Amino acid sequence: MKNLKLLLIAAVCVLTGTIKTNGQCDPGDTVMVTLGDTIMDIAPKALNNVVHFYKTASDSDRVIFLMPGLGGDQNAWQDVHDETDGVTNEDPLYAARKAEVVKFGEPNGPGYTEAAGLAAAGGDIYDDMVIQNLAFSPPNRENNIAIGHSQGGLALRATDYYMRNTSGKNPQFGGLVTFGSAHQGAEILTNGLPASMGGQGMIGDMADEMCDDLLAGPLSEAIYGSNAFYAKLVRLLNIDDDILDAKTAFCDFVTGDSVLSVVAASVTPNITTDYMAHNENYSGSNYLLNTLNSYAPNIPMVAFYGEEEEPVFWRQMGSLRKGVYTYNAFQADPDQQHVDDANDMRINYYTKYLIYKGHAEWQQNQIDKIANMWHYFFNPVSTIIQLNIHTSKRTRYLKVMGDYHVGYDFLKNTNKQWKAIIGAYKTNVQQNGYICECEELNGGNGVSINWVATAAECPPGVTHLQGGIKRICLRYPNIETAVTHKPSDGIVLAESAKNLPGATVNPALSDDDYKLENTNHQQLRNSSETREKLNRLFDYNDYSNFFITKPR
């Protein structure tokens, strides 16, 4: 039940950041360390948690700003910050750089409010960057680099727009890098947000279904299961209603006001509706699509994106539950365990279904035997009692069997359902020609059924042919369902994350040079693929000479 609770909470917390192993949405913790008149935030970590005293001016050529995504805190970029800034040296394949590295993120560090939209977030970030640049005094502020994950990349685009289009503002960075940012909008918001925020409410619907379907089998087993003593005790104490009430209360907690209000407070309508994606359900205007995407700044920009392997839902949930910052630097690649756990859960549900199906069939066999026994005529009272006992048990076992199968079906379709929410699984029902069904009478060729491309090829009704043959035809549309699977990182479609208007393009590179292979949305911040892309960014001119930052 503990793992089930974790799974349920993971689903409704998918947009809020990371999840601790005790099942609570992680708000992030930091320890404040004062060095003279400068305050640093040092995130807790099991290994190499050392306080980094500031480098001398000669060790720093620029400032690198790290911006977290939706609901993120300073843990989001912890490992990249610590390795790049020289706080730790966990990965021998990655070098600290001649730069001051600043982690943005609430509640203790510089950041931005999510309650007022992307435009306001851009202004907040600009103000904090001014403060940071005053503290570090880089030689040239336009030499600074801003790196953002997910919504953080969009907020940095809003910052760039603000500082280059507002009178009296000066640029605080001159190069932009994004990891998994939905530059063409996020369909998870269009489809997943509740109707009150302009979405389709599909995340809430999935959470409701998850709660009902996965709890149905275990609760039915507790009330009606094969453990005769326990089942009798439940009914004797009349606590079956109490158990069902507890289920209702728990589902309300997971999917109702108690949890969704927390999620909504973190998600906030204003900023998320600023980057909803256009699809069949939404064609409105928002700040990203109408303002930022109409503006292409003349600065180096690189958009990296992730493509996770199937099943993307369980891999994404695994990284959410574990938290990528709990791994050592660039080691957050593992995500198979949650897939294995989900498969084990599905097998367990199907096994329970088969067990109770067997129980129900055995009870039916007993009913059939008793009904056909000769003593039915000599001892009808005893026979009726036995029939009632076996019939009651059969009914109870059928109930448990059915409820476990409902849970099994949900687990079997979870990944597809999630992919539909994020826009990675689409079905398109369309007509492809016609089916022409004809029968020839009076010595004709009998019945024929054929596909035809146009209606003219199959005139309906009666046609008289030579030799007195009569043909009767029916024509009806040939309806087909086309299924499209789109690559994603489990949250953002690849086609959105890599399509940054005005991005710097190296004609010698392919899409693969910007892709983080087998990497989900959370892992983008701390995987071996992250290390590889940052090394290429800082060491070579693959993406732009601007980003080259010397090792220390």
Side-chain angles (χ1 to χ4, degrees):
M1 186 62 71
K2 179 181 178 182
N3 288 335
L4 179 59
K5 180 178 178 182
L6 289 168
L7 182 64
L8 291 166
I9 294 177
V12 296
C13 292
V14 68
L15 290 175
T16 65
T18 54
I19 293 180
K20 287 184 176 178
T21 53
N22 64 4
Q24 298 180 357
C25 299
D26 185 3
D29 301 308
T30 56
V31 179
M32 301 305 294
V33 180
T34 301
L35 301 176
D37 58 355
T38 306
I39 296 179
M40 297 181 61
D41 53 297
I42 306 298
K45 189 171 177 65
L47 298 174
N48 299 321
N49 187 18
V50 298
V51 176
H52 169 226
F53 290 88
Y54 288 127
K55 304 175 287 294
T56 64
S58 62
D59 288 330
S60 300
D61 293 336
R62 62 184 4 152
V63 176
I64 299 175
F65 299 105
L66 300 174
M67 193 66 57
L70 178 63
D73 56 28
Q74 292 191 313
N75 285 327
W77 284 107
Q78 174 184 327
D79 291 281
V80 170
H81 169 275
D82 291 355
E83 293 290 287
T84 307
D85 205 40
V87 177
T88 59
N89 184 24
E90 294 177 347
D91 193 324
L93 300 179
Y94 186 83
R97 304 289 164 169
K98 296 185 70 174
E100 296 287 355
V101 187
V102 176
K103 292 184 297 180
F104 274 67
E106 303 292 352
N108 298 317
Y112 60 94
T113 176
E114 296 179 325
L118 278 175
D124 289 346
I125 293 170
Y126 174 84
D127 292 340
D128 278 335
M129 283 184 171
V130 170
I131 295 172
Q132 297 299 320
N133 279 324
L134 287 173
F136 294 124
S137 299
N140 178 6
R141 294 186 183 187
E142 289 207 63
N143 194 40
N144 295 341
I145 300 173
I147 301 177
H149 171 250
S150 193
Q151 179 185 279
L154 304 182
L156 287 172
R157 288 179 62 192
T159 305
D160 182 78
Y161 182 88
Y162 173 81
M163 68 188 184
R164 297 179 192 277
N165 291 277
T166 304
S167 177
K169 305 301 179 183
N170 298 310
Q172 303 299 311
F173 60 86
L176 175 63
V177 181
T178 64
F179 284 81
S181 298
H183 296 298
Q184 299 304 313
E187 286 206 45
I188 187 174
L189 301 176
T190 309
N191 297 328
L193 292 179
S196 61
M197 297 165 64
Q200 298 298 304
M202 292 170 65
I203 287 180
D205 292 344
M206 183 177 180
D208 286 335
E209 185 179 348
M210 176 178 282
C211 181
D212 290 339
D213 293 356
L214 294 187
L215 285 178
L219 288 175
S220 289
E221 185 174 33
I223 299 173
Y224 309 113
S226 58
N227 188 323
F229 173 77
Y230 184 65
K232 288 179 180 178
L233 182 63
V234 168
R235 292 191 294 276
L236 178 65
L237 298 178
N238 196 31
I239 62 174
D240 49 344
D241 289 338
D242 293 335
I243 293 176
L244 292 175
D245 288 343
K247 175 214 170 183
T248 301
F250 178 68
C251 290
D252 287 344
F253 171 74
V254 172
T255 63
D257 291 339
S258 181
V259 168
L260 283 189
S261 61
V262 174
V263 175
S266 176
V267 170
T268 68
N270 289 331
I271 199 159
T272 52
T273 54
D274 268 351
Y275 59 101
M276 293 169 63
H278 282 168
N279 64 10
E280 62 275 9
N281 299 317
Y282 173 74
S283 59
S285 61
N286 59 48
Y287 186 74
L288 170 67
L289 301 179
N290 294 86
T291 301
L292 293 184
N293 282 2
S294 299
Y295 161 74
N298 187 27
I299 64 172
M301 297 191 298
V302 179
F304 294 114
Y305 65 97
E307 283 192 12
E308 180 59 288
E309 60 184 322
E310 299 289 353
V312 298
F313 175 79
W314 298 112
R315 296 187 187 282
Q316 172 66 28
M317 288 301 107
S319 293
L320 276 168
R321 177 179 171 184
K322 174 76 173 177
V324 297
Y325 62 86
T326 62
Y327 292 90
N328 281 350
F330 306 116
Q331 299 300 311
D333 295 340
D335 55 19
Q336 182 62 36
Q337 184 59 52
H338 216 63
V339 177
D340 295 341
D341 291 344
N343 287 334
D344 289 344
M345 183 185 292
R346 186 172 63 171
I347 292 171
N348 178 60
Y349 271 69
Y350 193 71
T351 301
K352 290 282 191 177
Y353 159 77
L354 292 177
I355 289 172
Y356 282 96
K357 180 182 179 183
H359 289 334
E361 289 174 347
W362 190 86
Q363 296 298 333
Q364 182 62 55
N365 289 335
Q366 297 303 111
I367 292 171
D368 294 341
K369 288 180 181 178
I370 293 173
N372 294 323
M373 290 175 64
W374 61 269
H375 68 73
Y376 178 83
F377 300 99
F378 298 97
N379 195 353
V381 175
S382 174
T383 302
I384 291 172
I385 291 174
Q386 291 183 58
L387 283 173
N388 285 337
I389 291 173
H390 289 296
T391 300
S392 175
K393 288 183 177 181
R394 176 181 176 274
T395 301
R396 297 202 313 269
Y397 295 156
L398 287 174
K399 166 67 174 171
V400 181
M401 177 193 79
D403 285 344
Y404 267 115
H405 201 276
V406 167
Y408 167 77
D409 284 339
F410 177 84
L411 291 167
K412 184 174 65 174
N413 295 309
T414 302
N415 188 59
K416 182 170 68 175
Q417 186 174 356
W418 179 253
K419 288 176 65 176
I421 292 175
I422 67 175
Y425 178 88
K426 291 183 178 292
T427 57
N428 182 30
V429 179
Q430 56 191 9
Q431 180 179 341
N432 179 21
Y434 298 87
I435 298 299
C436 186
E437 183 176 349
C438 297
E439 182 178 7
E440 293 184 358
L441 307 176
N442 302 332
N445 294 323
V447 177
S448 63
I449 301 176
N450 299 293
W451 175 88
V452 295
T454 64
E457 297 176 67
C458 183
V462 179
T463 303
H464 295 278
L465 306 177
Q466 292 182 349
I469 296 174
K470 182 187 296 184
R471 176 189 292 164
I472 303 174
C473 291
L474 297 175
R475 182 187 69 213
Y476 45 92
N478 179 43
I479 304 300
E480 297 178 346
T481 300
V483 176
T484 303
H485 294 269
K486 295 185 176 184
S488 75
D489 61 17
I491 296 290
V492 176
L493 296 181
E495 65 187 37
S496 179
K498 66 184 179 182
N499 191 1
L500 168 59
T504 307
V505 177
N506 182 345
L509 301 183
S510 68
D511 274 1
D512 287 345
D513 292 293
Y514 299 88
K515 177 173 68 177
L516 281 71
E517 188 74 34
N518 298 332
T519 305
N520 65 49
H521 195 67
Q522 307 307 115
Q523 292 170 330
L524 287 170
R525 295 179 275 114
N526 192 32
S527 69
S528 59
E529 289 280 296
T530 313
R531 176 189 61 208
E532 189 265 339
K533 293 299 184 288
L534 288 176
N535 276 333
R536 290 181 65 179
L537 185 76
F538 293 145
D539 287 335
Y540 305 104
N541 62 354
D542 288 357
Y543 306 110
S544 170
N545 287 332
F546 174 87
F547 297 107
I548 294 177
T549 307
K550 296 178 181 179
R552 276 192 274 124

